Amino acid sequence: MATIKRTVEVELSTTGLDAQGKPRRVPLVTDQSGNVMTMEAPPAIEPDLAGDHMLINIGPQHPATHGVLRLVLELDGETVVRCIPHVGYLHCGFEKIGEYRQYNQIVPWTDREDYLNSPGNNVAFALGAERLFGIEITPRCTVLRVMACELSRIMSHLVWLGTTCIDIGAFTPFLWAFYQREAIYKLLEDWVGARLTVTTTRVGGMAADVPDGWVDQLRHFTRTFPKTLSEIDRVVTRNGIWVGRTIGLGVMSADEAVNHGLTGPMLRASGVAYDVRKDFPYLDYETYDFDVPVGSNGDVYDRYLVRMEEMRQSIRILEQAITRLPDGPVNTDDHRVVLPPKSKATSDMESMIHHFKQVMEGPRPPIGECYVAVESPKGEKGYYMVSDGTSKPVRWRIRPPSFVNLSAIPKMVEGHLLSDVIAINASIDIVMGEIDR
Amino acid sequence: MSSPVPFKPVIAGSAASGPPAATPRNVPHRGGPANPSAEALRQHFGAAIKRVDVVWGETSVVVDRARLVDIVSWLSDDPAQRYDLLADVTAVEFRDTEQPIEVVWHLRSLPYRRFLRLKVMIERGQKLDVPSVWGIHKSADWMERECYDMFGITFAGHPDLRRILMWEQYREGFPLRKDFPLRGRFSRSEQLRQALAANPEARYSMDELTIAQAFEDLPEEMRRRLSTGERTGE
């Protein structure tokens, strides 16, 4: 295990670390003038430490595993020798169910896999289905989807930040983060009526246009949220305890990270600037001005920094999206996939046929397949859909980023202490709903 | 607002030449421009490349099962290809039972910003067995395990091919196969009874027991089965 020596300026008054990153030693026994008294150490008795390895089980019901993850650890003293993860406790066969549902009926299932990122999943699924149908979306819909994606990225990172702070021992940032997350939920509730499982998109458009005044609320959020972010930043980033508990843990080099299939902030913390929004753009992300934060050490601390910076960049994207939000229709006028207005269904023959066909049979894409990936807060989230010409996909595959990211945990925790396993596990940002599906 | 830790934004693929990335528009259903790697593969591997399709702008290359590892390895190592990220491993079974089962690998070349889909067709009646690419891409580990768990496709050369989402003692079959009913093979009450009786939390896999002292407490017969390399057991 390569040790990494880094110096982080510790601002808050903690006695944790000195400038070299080593634990600061404070003499316990001094005489009246303050000199350190030397004491003769008692003769050391070498304990017999060559014991058996211990098997310890964490989870599946354990708050620090962020869901129902189960880790079986082989310990030598307090050092992890081997880690065997077990997943699948939340498996409900989303992919199988998707094969029995029409495309618009699958959208609610995408809410429930990565439930911290529901709007982002909806957008990803809708983009995939639209590629499969070969339809274009309207300019207003494109910008609204960018807003949905970035709001859900902030939302997911806030939950990650709060829970990781709790894992490492800080409670206050959790409350601040969840307060802001609540503000985003309020925005989503105003938009579509739901908070957690929002189902914002439909194939070819959105569930609803944003209500009047919503954009002003969003603008208010983009102005107030950075204040909270900088508060968290001031409390956490240079905190001695935080730094001491995150630096040098779970290091993945750039080559290892790519080879293990890490994506998202995990990969970027290792120094690889792969962001689907930049490299394989969708929703016109190439026209937005934002930066991709990249770490250099690939440890837990860098992953934290990358996610913090990503939230700031999301705010930048949101501000640009607000200024460019065009007027116009939200749904396409392609009535193979989007229902005509209800008022026309009883007066116009063509519209009635469309209503009947879409409700009874469902839209049918041509035979084909596509893999559409978006940059979810966890990494590259891909939907691979195969159509055989019927109204239900023959295969709907979710490429879960946190599933692949978690598969590298045995490599990351080996050689670290048991207490560091919690920090490393938290840094992956797993959502078990997505892993088990 | 300034970030306390300065980040230098780097964009993957910006060093390599090529057109700037842009949101694809008006992608044709079939017959769009193929990924140049497909032509390179054809030149390099000849008959092992059976078919190249371009569907919705994505290039699928159907390859020979026996040469799969060579092809993935060449794609990953060749300086003009460098497909270094294995994005996904999965399989497709069609409703038409005459059609072959497809095993699908999604590869990304980060330096050249390319995306390639490799496929191996397994005809009906053939053994569901393909080579593992774990030796080249470690990310294949869990994705191949999931593919085995859901479809029953074995990956020759995978170091630890066992069920991942279903529990190890699951004997009902492979859920994503088309002959597996949506609601499972048993009634809801029977499924509930089995799920409660399985109690997977109380169980450690044989692999884990070997590192614990509990191994010594196992019955003689189970230890004998373990020593012959059996992975699961009751």
Side-chain angles (χ1 to χ4, degrees):
Chain A
M1 182 62 57
T3 54
I4 288 194
K5 289 201 174 164
R6 296 168 66 192
T7 311
V8 171
E9 219 176 296
V10 178
E11 272 185 347
L12 296 181
S13 59
T14 50
T15 54
L17 303 170
D18 63 9
Q20 275 75 42
K22 290 187 177 140
R24 189 174 284 160
R25 291 173 190 278
V26 181
L28 290 175
V29 187
T30 50
D31 59 14
Q32 276 86 5
S33 53
N35 296 322
V36 181
M37 282 173 64
T38 51
M39 289 169 62
E40 200 175 326
I45 303 160
E46 283 290 321
D48 181 19
L49 292 175
D52 290 319
H53 284 188
M54 186 165 49
L55 191 71
I56 192 167
N57 180 67
I58 305 181
Q61 308 289 345
H62 190 285
T65 56
H66 295 239
V68 280
L69 170 68
R70 174 169 165 234
L71 296 171
V72 178
L73 301 167
E74 182 183 355
L75 296 180
D76 180 9
E78 214 184 334
T79 311
V80 177
V81 180
R82 190 151 64 130
C83 168
I84 305 173
H86 289 261
V87 298
Y89 293 96
L90 222 54
H91 179 62
C92 12
F94 282 16
E95 294 175 7
K96 181 84 177 172
I97 293 167
E99 293 170 9
Y100 294 79
R101 296 280 183 277
Q102 296 167 11
Y103 287 87
N104 269 331
Q105 293 173 334
I106 299 177
V107 179
W109 292 95
T110 63
D111 288 333
R112 285 151 176 85
E113 36 139 326
D114 180 356
Y115 42 80
L116 299 179
N117 178 37
S118 335
N121 294 340
N122 301 153
V123 170
F125 180 82
L127 285 174
E130 281 148 13
R131 176 85 59 85
L132 205 58
F133 278 92
I135 53 178
E136 288 280 319
I137 52 172
T138 61
R140 184 173 175 87
C141 179
T142 313
V143 179
L144 285 179
R145 284 185 182 180
V146 168
M147 287 177 179
C149 278
E150 296 309 317
L151 280 177
S152 82
R153 185 180 324 280
I154 295 175
M155 209 158 73
S156 171
H157 281 348
L158 282 175
V159 175
W160 172 82
L161 183 65
T163 51
T164 305
C165 282
I166 286 203
D167 281 351
I168 295 182
F171 193 77
T172 314
F174 170 82
L175 297 174
W176 294 345
F178 270 57
Y179 183 82
Q180 290 298 329
R181 175 175 174 254
E182 202 56 35
I184 299 179
Y185 277 157
K186 176 76 174 51
L187 284 170
L188 290 173
E189 192 180 359
D190 290 349
W191 186 357
V192 288
R195 287 158 52 85
L196 189 72
T197 50
V198 288
T199 322
T200 46
T201 64
R202 299 288 182 270
V203 179
M206 305 297 278
D209 198 350
V210 290
D212 292 341
W214 189 84
V215 175
D216 297 328
Q217 288 179 36
L218 179 62
R219 193 177 289 119
H220 177 72
F221 172 75
T222 59
R223 285 177 188 157
T224 51
F225 173 64
K227 210 188 275 177
T228 308
L229 205 55
S230 61
E231 269 176 359
I232 297 175
D233 190 57
R234 262 174 45 212
V235 170
V236 174
T237 306
R238 292 168 190 220
N239 185 315
I241 299 171
W242 180 270
V243 169
R245 284 210 59 185
T246 52
I247 275 192
L249 293 186
V251 178
M252 294 289 274
S253 72
D255 289 342
E256 286 168 351
V258 174
N259 198 253
H260 279 83
L262 303 188
T263 43
M266 294 282 289
L267 180 63
R268 291 193 282 276
S270 298
V272 183
Y274 169 60
D275 187 317
V276 186
R277 292 175 294 175
K278 287 279 188 195
D279 288 314
F280 299 92
Y282 52 96
L283 295 175
D284 298 335
Y285 264 112
E286 73 273 16
T287 60
Y288 289 85
D289 179 27
F290 68 100
D291 296 330
V292 177
V294 172
S296 50
N297 297 284
D299 56 5
V300 177
Y301 186 67
D302 275 18
R303 288 169 201 152
Y304 157 75
L305 292 177
V306 165
R307 289 198 175 100
M308 288 294 276
E309 186 60 26
E310 267 186 18
M311 285 193 267
R312 294 194 187 93
Q313 299 299 334
S314 288
I315 289 291
R316 270 178 76 187
I317 297 173
L318 279 174
E319 282 166 350
Q320 294 168 49
I322 289 171
T323 56
R324 69 163 75 172
L325 182 66
D327 288 332
V330 173
N331 294 341
T332 61
D333 53 3
D334 189 340
H335 292 312
R336 285 179 305 150
V337 289
V338 177
L339 284 174
K342 183 72 185 168
S343 58
K344 277 191 172 177
T346 49
S347 57
D348 181 26
M349 190 65 194
E350 192 82 355
S351 302
M352 202 185 98
I353 293 172
H354 281 308
H355 265 271
F356 181 77
K357 289 286 252 187
Q358 274 195 49
V359 174
M360 298 308 288
E361 287 178 2
R364 293 161 179 262
I367 295 174
E369 58 190 329
C370 71
Y371 174 84
V372 171
V374 303
E375 182 71 28
S376 97
K378 278 91 191 168
E380 175 186 333
K381 153 139 307 185
Y383 286 119
Y384 174 51
M385 285 177 245
V386 184
S387 157
D388 61 351
T390 58
S391 60
K392 292 162 187 172
V394 80
R395 176 94 171 92
W396 167 47
R397 156 80 176 159
I398 308 163
R399 191 261 183 206
S402 42
F403 180 79
V404 187
N405 289 354
L406 182 69
S407 72
I409 196 175
K411 166 136 189 67
M412 282 190 270
V413 301
E414 271 161 28
H416 286 294
L417 298 183
L418 176 61
S419 56
D420 294 340
V421 172
I422 302 301
I424 293 169
N425 179 42
S427 79
I428 304 176
D429 190 10
I430 54 171
V431 167
M432 292 314 286
E434 179 182 64
I435 290 171
D436 296 343
R437 281 159 287 141
Chain B
M1 186 183 53
S2 66
S3 157
V5 180
F7 278 107
K8 197 167 139 230
V10 188
I11 298 154
S14 57
S17 61
T23 302
R25 290 197 183 284
N26 298 321
V27 189
H29 182 196
R30 279 178 196 278
N35 186 333
S37 304
E39 190 51 41
L41 273 175
R42 218 175 223 152
Q43 282 181 2
H44 205 265
F45 287 95
I49 309 300
K50 293 181 172 167
R51 207 173 74 218
V52 176
D53 296 326
V54 183
V55 182
W56 294 124
E58 292 162 4
T59 310
S60 311
V61 182
V62 181
V63 303
D64 189 22
R65 184 195 318 207
R67 299 295 303 277
L68 176 84
V69 173
D70 295 341
I71 289 170
V72 174
S73 161
W74 182 78
L75 281 174
S76 136
D77 296 339
D78 189 79
Q81 311 297 334
R82 293 182 57 194
Y83 283 84
D84 41 11
L85 182 73
L86 175 68
D88 200 5
V89 180
T90 186
V92 181
E93 188 185 18
F94 287 90
R95 295 195 181 100
D96 177 7
T97 50
E98 297 297 310
Q99 287 201 49
I101 292 182
E102 298 175 355
V103 188
V104 184
W105 289 263
H106 288 136
L107 290 163
R108 274 196 199 283
S109 166
L110 299 188
Y112 294 99
R113 282 192 182 131
R114 285 184 197 159
F115 174 76
L116 190 68
R117 177 183 299 138
L118 295 184
K119 278 185 184 178
V120 166
M121 303 281 186
I122 305 178
E123 297 293 334
R124 293 294 163 149
Q126 280 187 341
K127 197 161 171 262
L128 291 177
D129 183 62
V130 290
S132 166
V133 298
W134 179 82
I136 306 155
H137 296 286
K138 295 284 177 287
S139 53
D141 185 355
W142 280 22
M143 292 191 280
E144 286 180 353
R145 274 178 67 185
E146 192 195 337
C147 197
Y148 162 73
D149 189 7
M150 292 290 136
F151 286 92
I153 295 165
T154 52
F155 289 83
H158 190 284
D160 186 23
L161 197 67
R162 58 193 160 91
R163 286 192 179 270
I164 183 163
L165 294 181
M166 312 305 283
W167 53 102
E168 287 193 39
Q169 293 83 16
Y170 188 73
R171 292 284 177 271
E172 275 183 55
F174 302 104
L176 277 180
R177 296 289 294 276
K178 290 286 188 250
D179 56 6
F180 190 95
L182 177 61
R183 293 181 175 225
R185 295 202 192 279
F186 302 107
S187 68
R188 297 299 281 269
S189 58
E190 171 65 13
Q191 283 179 21
L192 181 68
R193 195 194 65 74
Q194 286 190 4
L196 291 176
N199 190 14
E201 283 172 34
R203 221 167 285 220
Y204 291 89
S205 76
M206 291 296 130
D207 200 25
E208 290 151 7
L209 283 174
T210 54
I211 54 179
Q213 279 183 332
F215 182 66
E216 303 300 324
D217 305 332
L218 291 175
E220 179 67 29
E221 190 264 340
M222 198 178 273
R223 268 186 285 174
R224 185 183 52 74
R225 272 167 41 203
L226 266 177
S227 61
T228 59
E230 189 168 324
R231 202 167 277 290
T232 59
E234 294 288 328

